[in-house]
Amino acid sequence: MTGPNPLEYGWWLASRSSGVVAFTAVAISVIIGLMMANGLPRRPGFKKQLVAVHESTALAGLVAIAVHGLTLLGDSYLHPTISQIAIPFTIDYRPFYTGLGIIAGWAAMFLGLSFYARRMIGNKRWRSIHRATIVVWALAVVHTLGSGTDAGSLWLQGILVVTGLPIIFLFLRRIIPASKPKAAPLPDSTPVERAAARARARVRRARPAGSSSS
């Protein structure tokens, strides 16, 4: 008894596995980016290492996204064209969810490569643009659940939960302003002031009637 020939669906397997790699790499990069945006960690040396990992995972995600799309060209079931994997909502297979994935892929490319043009566009403007990476992650989640053939698998759902919880927590921590501690109410008087007031009262009581202070 023989099973199906892997060569007949090898392109689909390659696209499927590279899609999982792309999502995981992008999610890790987003987590690290949000950590740094929240001022974590506070050790300068460790922060430099995180910047390197952030950049590496982002680039790995971009490569995996390209492989994820290009390997679909060899899929014997979908038979997509180059325009269908490049232009959102034009492919026949679940066009809405696949289209969101294409948008997420192009946005990830733009935001990831903008890191190397930040001096040209200015750090302040680049940081404002770079905040949209959370949107890329959200689109990737919807794309994975809507068009991914492994969406019902526990292992893929585990990846979504393990990476999604810290992203949501760090994002909310970033956008929700921390409540400022309320200033403690000032005491009516300090012990020294109360002692001075009692001393002045004793002086006034001991002073002869009708005398005035000089």
Side-chain angles (χ1 to χ4, degrees):
M1 183 176 180
T2 60
N5 184 4
L7 295 178
E8 295 180 357
Y9 56 93
W11 290 106
W12 172 76
L13 287 175
S15 179
R16 170 186 171 192
S17 57
S18 59
V20 175
V21 172
F23 177 84
T24 306
V26 170
I28 293 174
S29 181
V30 171
I31 291 173
I32 296 175
L34 286 172
M35 285 177 60
M36 293 186 292
N38 278 280
L40 304 171
R42 303 187 185 281
R43 292 171 54 189
F46 191 38
K47 187 174 181 179
K48 291 181 179 180
Q49 296 175 356
L50 276 185
V51 170
V53 177
H54 176 61
E55 182 180 359
S56 299
T57 51
L59 291 176
L62 296 184
V63 173
I65 289 171
V67 174
H68 178 54
L70 292 175
T71 48
L72 281 179
L73 294 174
D75 187 85
S76 59
Y77 174 74
L78 295 178
H79 290 294
T81 63
I82 294 180
S83 63
Q84 286 178 323
I85 65 172
I87 303 174
F89 313 116
T90 58
I91 198 169
D92 296 330
Y93 177 76
R94 300 181 182 180
F96 176 73
Y97 293 105
T98 305
L100 293 181
I102 294 173
I103 293 174
W106 285 119
M109 292 283 184
F110 171 76
L111 294 172
L113 297 178
S114 68
F115 174 80
Y116 302 99
R118 65 190 188 281
R119 292 184 179 179
M120 184 183 303
I121 62 179
N123 279 326
K124 185 177 180 180
R125 181 175 299 175
W126 173 78
R127 291 180 184 277
S128 299
I129 296 173
H130 203 64
R131 291 173 184 171
T133 51
I134 189 70
V135 178
V136 173
W137 170 80
L139 290 175
V141 171
V142 177
H143 166 69
T144 302
L145 294 176
S147 62
T149 53
D150 296 307
S153 303
L154 290 177
W155 62 267
L156 182 58
Q157 293 174 357
I159 292 176
L160 293 175
V161 171
V162 170
T163 56
L165 288 179
I167 288 176
I168 294 173
F169 170 77
L170 290 169
F171 177 69
L172 293 177
R173 189 178 187 271
R174 174 66 173 168
I175 64 174
I176 297 177
S179 57
K180 296 181 180 180
K182 295 182 179 180
L186 294 175
D188 295 336
S189 60
T190 64
V192 174
E193 291 173 337
R194 289 195 293 271
R198 288 195 295 268
R200 288 194 296 269
R202 286 196 296 269
V203 170
R204 285 196 297 268
R205 287 195 298 269
R207 187 176 298 162
S211 64
S212 58
S213 60
S214 58

